Amino acid sequence: SGFGVLDLGFAFNGYNVLEAYDHWRPAFDNHNKNKSLLKATAYQRSLALSDNEIALESLPKADVVLGGPPCQGFSLAGRRNENDERNKLVDSYVDFISLIKPKILFFENVNGFTIGFKKMGKRGEPYSDNVSKKLEDLGYKVHFDIVDFSEFGIPQRRKRFILVGVLEGKPEAFFEKIVEAKVGFLKSKGLKENITLGEAISDLESKHGKVN
């Protein structure tokens, strides 16, 4: 679950967040700081089912599963290491989906997730395609895209791989709806596309007042 940002986004839109998992203590602590908003049970433990850290019979029955497996091994801004142990948690996410079988799944990672690692001078299959195939084998219709969050009021060129899977309906509908709702959303927040960092934090200038 990381710091719980995906959870908060869904909670603010009427979803009841049941449980959250993360192995990293700071993420776990931050999730609990938002307890009044999320009302979810957070667990500091690995989601790798092979670790036997999760009692399978205790898994929640959920309509939606959100996941953002660690991105460091895939990031073009980092060392980009195919053998990064954290990459295996992508498979753990798929295993988790196979056990819960939610109606909808939401998966997020970095842009580099769509680019295969080079082996012997040739580029291998992107993890994005591999995950899509595994989810389709579980009966899901899937669709993914690269979403540029700077187009949604974020003061940063932040491109993210977003995959949506559904048992019924069209996964493409998610991406169509966020584009349709974009103008109204930005207007309601007093934002515009491609906002600069200066514009985003301009209210912090002392001319707007000071607090002791």
Side-chain angles (χ1 to χ4, degrees):
S1 69
F3 287 99
V5 177
L6 276 176
D7 299 327
L8 282 171
F10 274 73
F12 287 151
N13 284 278
Y15 285 82
N16 179 29
V17 182
L18 299 174
E19 295 184 1
Y21 306 92
D22 202 284
H23 193 61
W24 192 38
R25 182 77 198 190
F28 170 78
D29 290 341
N30 192 73
H31 204 286
N32 280 329
K33 286 179 181 178
N34 290 309
K35 190 81 173 176
S36 61
L37 297 170
L38 292 172
K39 300 180 176 63
T41 301
Y43 295 97
Q44 185 194 5
R45 58 192 183 193
S46 171
L47 194 57
L49 301 180
S50 59
D51 291 347
N52 295 315
E53 292 194 32
I54 297 177
L56 301 186
E57 67 276 7
S58 70
L59 291 174
K61 295 187 182 301
D63 290 329
V64 183
V65 169
L66 314 174
C71 64
Q72 291 89 339
F74 305 105
S75 177
L76 298 173
R79 295 181 179 178
R80 190 167 164 75
N81 178 11
E82 184 175 14
N83 297 317
D84 191 313
E85 280 290 312
R86 292 167 292 190
N87 294 357
K88 295 178 181 178
L89 286 172
V90 173
D91 293 324
S92 295
Y93 174 88
V94 176
D95 290 339
F96 196 72
I97 294 296
S98 71
L99 292 168
I100 294 184
K101 289 304 287 281
K103 296 176 183 177
I104 302 170
L105 63 91
F106 184 97
F107 181 103
E108 178 267 347
N109 213 287
V110 291
N111 189 13
F113 199 73
T114 63
I115 302 173
F117 290 94
K118 282 189 175 181
K119 296 178 181 178
M120 306 293 290
K122 295 182 179 180
R123 199 170 293 282
E125 180 184 41
Y127 266 65
S128 54
D129 292 349
N130 181 269
V131 168
S132 294
K133 291 174 183 175
K134 288 181 177 179
L135 292 171
E136 287 170 351
D137 288 342
L138 293 176
Y140 286 92
K141 289 177 271 188
V142 303
H143 184 78
F144 64 79
D145 205 347
I146 300 298
V147 178
D148 186 346
F149 284 82
S150 69
E151 298 175 0
F152 295 84
I154 301 298
Q156 183 185 35
R157 288 193 183 93
R158 192 172 186 82
K159 294 184 178 180
R160 279 294 183 269
F161 167 84
I162 304 292
L163 179 148
V164 173
V166 296
L167 290 175
E168 297 181 6
K170 294 173 51 182
E172 297 89 348
F174 169 83
F175 299 92
E176 294 167 0
K177 288 183 181 297
I178 61 172
V179 172
E180 290 172 6
K182 180 173 66 173
V183 174
F185 169 77
L186 293 174
K187 185 177 180 180
S188 70
K189 302 296 182 182
L191 299 172
K192 63 178 184 179
E193 282 189 39
N194 306 119
I195 187 172
T196 66
L197 182 59
E199 290 170 324
I201 63 174
S202 61
D203 58 327
L204 298 178
E205 294 178 347
S206 58
K207 66 182 181 182
H208 295 297
K210 298 181 179 180
V211 177
N212 292 328

